[in-house]
């Protein structure tokens, strides 16, 4: 096999020197479920989850099959593109800690009583769960992303899969993971059970807050002339996006050499804050729900320069061939291309811009929740 390297990086902009960050259009909305009356009896709130997921890298591979078509032979092509973001882990932890503290203070300023994490320690809902006071950052939850939790905060986790992911969403969550369709679908299945926890906490409102910070738009355009992947830098809070990236394959079939060392994982990223309260006497549906999301991505401008990164393996095609005693023979090489790029960002500007966007998102929906029901 002949390996060729093709790298294209177009610097279309540079980091600006402004002191405050510039956010794009803010388009929030409520994601309403079943219509009908909704009741929130108490201003007690219990935060079951608060996490911020930061995209750090993306690894994609695409292929085209060769073959003989008409009077030409084309070789196979393979293009791989790996793009990373250089941001210190301490910056990500600080953003998350500050966002959480601002969130708590915002709730309290509106008259909500924020229950301590251990308030639910002895509930039937959390029987068999593990207690964590300092959840560690995780690279296992979302492909190419690191999930960060606030420090000195108590959360309960049912357990972890062999891949290090939190077990959530019950049976349906397990099915989603097997179908490579994890993310918001599994989180929603978990949230549907919050009514049980609420009923054990005197109808306190159970809160889930989950935010996704992406920096890449990765596309696989038309593959007519060979394998091609294109990525554009675009820092934002994700509204609704399927993120796909290759991760290490730890399966048994890989250990015995039947499958590759990496596999593509799919995850549905939806930045959302959920409020669930009470439980109906018949069934387990909640008395009140509110889910705040975004209509479209919230852009975070003036932090990351606009760049285009591409991996393109052009198909080698033999149209002429060589005459031999046995007829005409054709020869075409298989082409493999790999491209790696590291995106630099000013850590201070990244911290200010992302923190501003997260706070704007959470504060809006806390305001809406309070305005509609209290």
């Amino acid at each position: 096999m002949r390996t060729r390297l093709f790298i294209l990086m177009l610097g279309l902009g540079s980091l600006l020197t402004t002191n405050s960050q510039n956010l794009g259009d803010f388009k929030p909305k409520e994601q309403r479920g079943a219509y009908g009356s909704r009741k929130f009896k108490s201003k007690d709130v219990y935060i079951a989850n608060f996490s911020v997921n930061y995209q750090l890298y993306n690894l994609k591979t695409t292929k085209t099959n060769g073959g003989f078509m008409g009077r030409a032979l084309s070789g196979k092509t393979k293009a791989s593109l790996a793009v990373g973001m250089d941001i210190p882990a301490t910056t990500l932890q600080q953003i998350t800690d500050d966002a959480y503290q601002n969130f708590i203070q915002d709730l309290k300023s509106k008259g909500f009583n924020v229950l301590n994490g251990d308030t639910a320690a002895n509930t039937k809902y959390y029987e068999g769960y593990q207690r964590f006071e300092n959840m560690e950052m995780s690279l296992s939850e979302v492909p190419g992303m690191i999930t960060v939790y606030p420090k000195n905060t108590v959360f309960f986790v049912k357990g972890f899969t062999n891949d290090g992911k939190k077990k959530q969403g019950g049976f349906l969550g397990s099915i989603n993971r097997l179908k490579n369709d994890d993310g918001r679908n599994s989180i929603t299945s978990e949230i549907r059970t919050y009514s049980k926890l609420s009923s054990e906490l005197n109808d306190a409102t159970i809160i889930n807050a989950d935010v996704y910070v992406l920096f890449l738009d990765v596309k696989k355009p038309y593959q007519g002339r060979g394998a091609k992947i294109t990525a554009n830098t675009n820092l934002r809070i994700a509204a609704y996006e399927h993120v796909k990236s290759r991760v290490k394959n730890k399966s048994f079939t890989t250990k015995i050499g039947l499958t590759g060392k990496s596999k593509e994982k799919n995850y549905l990223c939806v930045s959302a804050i959920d409020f669930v309260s009470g439980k109906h006497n018949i069934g387990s549906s909640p008395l009140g729900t509110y889910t705040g999301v975004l209509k479209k991505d919230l852009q975070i401008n003036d932090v990351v320069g606009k760049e285009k990164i591409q991996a393109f393996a052009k198909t080698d095609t033999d149209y002429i061939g060589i005459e031999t005693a046995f007829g005409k023979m054709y020869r075409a090489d298989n082409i493999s291309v790999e491209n790696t790029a590291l995106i630099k960002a000013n850590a201070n500007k990244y911290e200010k811009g992302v923190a501003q966007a997260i706070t704007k998102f959470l504060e809006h929906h806390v305001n809406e929740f309070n305005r509609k029901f209290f």
Side-chain angles (χ1 to χ4, degrees):
M1 176 181 289
R2 184 155 50 109
T3 302
R4 298 175 181 173
L5 181 63
F6 180 88
I7 300 178
L8 175 64
M9 292 186 65
L10 298 178
L12 302 180
S14 60
L15 295 178
L16 303 182
T17 57
T18 180
N19 291 323
S20 62
Q21 309 311 143
N22 177 25
L23 300 181
D25 291 338
F26 181 52
K27 299 289 186 181
K29 70 173 183 178
E30 180 187 357
Q31 190 174 64
R32 183 77 186 266
Y35 282 83
S37 62
R38 294 180 289 175
K39 296 179 181 179
F40 290 85
K41 296 181 177 180
S42 170
K43 293 205 82 171
D44 288 346
V45 296
Y46 182 84
I47 302 172
N49 176 71
F50 186 100
S51 55
V52 184
N53 306 270
Y54 304 89
Q55 188 176 41
L56 294 183
Y57 72 92
N58 189 274
L59 172 61
K60 293 289 287 291
T61 297
T62 186
K63 302 176 183 179
T64 63
N65 294 321
F68 196 83
M69 294 184 64
R71 294 177 177 272
L73 177 67
S74 297
K76 297 178 181 179
T77 63
K78 176 182 177 181
S80 297
L81 179 63
V83 184
M85 167 74 81
D86 183 21
I87 291 291
T90 52
T91 299
L92 305 181
Q93 187 66 63
Q94 191 63 56
I95 295 171
T96 306
D97 289 346
D98 290 346
Y100 182 73
Q101 290 304 320
N102 290 337
F103 180 57
I104 295 294
Q105 292 304 315
D106 191 29
L107 287 167
K108 289 181 177 179
S109 71
K110 293 175 173 58
F112 290 100
N113 176 36
V114 181
L115 301 176
N116 183 277
D118 279 325
T119 302
N122 296 318
T123 59
K124 291 183 180 180
Y125 184 88
Y126 279 139
E127 278 185 1
Y129 279 63
Q130 300 176 46
R131 177 188 181 275
F132 292 89
E133 189 166 352
N134 282 294
M135 286 280 288
E136 294 183 358
M137 296 181 180
S138 174
L139 288 166
S140 302
E141 294 297 330
V142 191
M145 303 182 75
I146 186 167
T147 303
V148 185
Y149 306 91
K151 289 282 190 181
N152 303 315
T153 305
V154 172
F155 294 116
F156 292 91
V157 180
K158 191 170 187 178
F160 299 90
T161 67
N162 292 334
D163 292 333
K165 296 171 67 68
K166 287 191 300 184
K167 290 181 179 178
Q168 58 182 351
F171 175 73
L172 292 177
S174 300
I175 296 299
N176 290 333
R177 288 187 286 273
L178 287 173
K179 292 167 56 181
N180 195 19
D181 188 25
D182 204 5
R184 181 62 183 177
N185 295 325
S186 298
I187 294 170
T188 300
S189 296
E190 182 83 2
I191 291 167
R192 290 194 186 104
T193 68
Y194 279 0
S195 60
K196 298 177 182 178
L197 177 58
S198 176
S199 67
E200 291 192 70
L201 297 178
N202 299 316
D203 292 333
T205 297
I206 313 302
I207 298 176
N208 167 74
D210 205 28
V211 180
Y212 297 85
V213 183
L214 307 184
F215 79 96
L216 279 178
D217 278 330
V218 182
K219 299 178 181 179
K220 190 173 74 172
Y222 174 63
Q223 308 289 297
R225 296 185 298 116
K228 185 176 182 180
I229 304 173
T230 301
N232 294 281
T233 54
N234 179 20
L235 187 63
R236 65 205 184 277
I237 302 295
Y240 183 102
E241 185 162 341
H242 284 277
V243 169
K244 296 180 180 180
S245 182
R246 299 198 72 81
V247 299
K248 186 176 181 180
N249 192 346
K250 300 179 182 179
S251 66
F252 173 75
T253 53
T254 296
K255 293 179 181 179
I256 62 177
L258 295 179
T259 54
K261 295 182 179 180
S262 68
K263 59 183 178 180
E264 188 170 83
K265 296 291 288 184
N266 179 53
Y267 191 98
L268 176 57
C269 299
V270 177
S271 295
I273 177 170
D274 304 278
F275 300 83
V276 178
S277 179
K279 183 169 75 74
H280 284 285
N281 293 328
I282 300 176
S284 59
S285 61
L287 296 174
T289 62
Y290 175 92
T291 294
V293 294
L294 291 166
K295 288 183 181 178
K296 68 174 187 177
D297 295 344
L298 176 56
Q299 305 294 325
I300 306 170
N301 303 316
D302 306 337
V303 176
V304 178
K306 297 296 183 181
E307 295 186 3
K308 179 180 180 180
I309 310 100
Q310 178 176 291
F312 177 38
K314 187 177 180 180
T315 303
D316 184 37
T317 304
D318 184 359
Y319 295 97
I320 301 174
I322 301 173
E323 293 288 353
T324 70
F326 304 99
K328 185 173 286 190
M329 292 184 61
Y330 294 82
R331 182 180 182 276
D333 290 328
N334 295 329
I335 307 298
S336 179
V337 169
E338 295 181 359
N339 184 10
T340 302
L342 182 64
I343 305 299
K344 297 284 186 178
N346 182 295
N348 289 331
K349 289 185 177 181
Y350 182 94
E351 181 176 346
K352 290 178 181 178
V354 173
Q356 182 181 348
I358 294 173
T359 297
K360 190 176 186 69
F361 171 70
L362 295 177
E363 283 187 350
H364 170 84
H365 284 300
V366 170
N367 285 334
E368 285 298 292
F369 171 65
N370 186 52
R371 181 183 65 82
K372 288 186 175 183
F373 302 107
F374 297 98

